[in-house]
Amino acid sequence: VSGSAHPRVERGSLLLESPAGDVRWSSPVIYQTAAGVRRPVAGSFAVQRHGRIGFEVGGYDRTRPLVIDPVLSFSTFFGGNGNEAARGIGVDGSGNIYIAGYSTTRNLPVSALAAQAAYGGQTANYQTGDAFVAKFSNSGALLAMTYLGGSRDDLASSLAVDAAGNVYVTGYTNSLDFPFTAKAYQQRMAGSGGNGLFVGGDAFV
């Protein structure tokens, strides 16, 4: 496995070591379909020679297709009545999931302690408006959500989370009133801004 040392299987799940920590792949779902009925087949990951990963599969009907699917822990839409896209994702030490991106929606589910409770973007482009940051539990529950931006166009393009759960977001803005902190390195927008087709302006962190 490229970039991984000592792959191993524990209770059917595959564990891969990486510089950022172990990565776990849950035991796959293996089945065949006969007469419209899904019939489970026993099986798991297997570490083969030279670190290659394969599968060990129990008895099955070799005349029918065998399906080996990854486990989907959770999946969800996230958005309102406009346009949204997630551009960055990160995970903290507790397995909480963070996403950042952009929104043109005024009715996203903002949390009580949001840094920016209301949408404030003004856009001529379908893909910009305000940036947003959202936090989900590892089971898929929405824990927190905030808009981030000024009165023009703001887009979050990347996100990282440190061991203490601090979230770092970067992107670009053409909002003259983008929020900044007292010790900000640069306290006013200096960029030329966009023209409705491209946001432009300044980067933000």
Side-chain angles (χ1 to χ4, degrees), residues 21-103:
D22 286 353
V23 177
R24 178 183 293 272
W25 292 78
S26 297
S27 183
V29 176
I30 306 175
Y31 64 92
Q32 292 183 295
T33 301
V37 177
R38 179 183 289 193
R39 303 183 185 279
V41 175
S44 68
F45 287 104
V47 179
Q48 302 171 345
R49 294 180 59 186
H50 308 299
R52 295 177 63 88
I53 305 302
F55 300 97
E56 289 183 351
V57 180
Y60 66 96
D61 183 350
R62 294 181 180 273
T63 67
R64 297 180 182 277
L66 179 70
V67 179
I68 302 177
D69 276 344
V71 174
L72 181 63
S73 297
F74 80 90
S75 177
T76 182
F77 287 106
F78 179 75
N81 56 13
N83 297 312
E84 281 77 37
R87 293 291 187 90
I89 187 168
V91 181
D92 68 17
S94 299
N96 297 310
I97 302 162
Y98 301 76
I99 62 171
Y102 61 80
S103 173

Side-chain angles (χ1 to χ4, degrees), residues 132 136 148 182 186 191 194:
F132 74 85
F136 294 85
L148 178 63
Q186 179 180 325

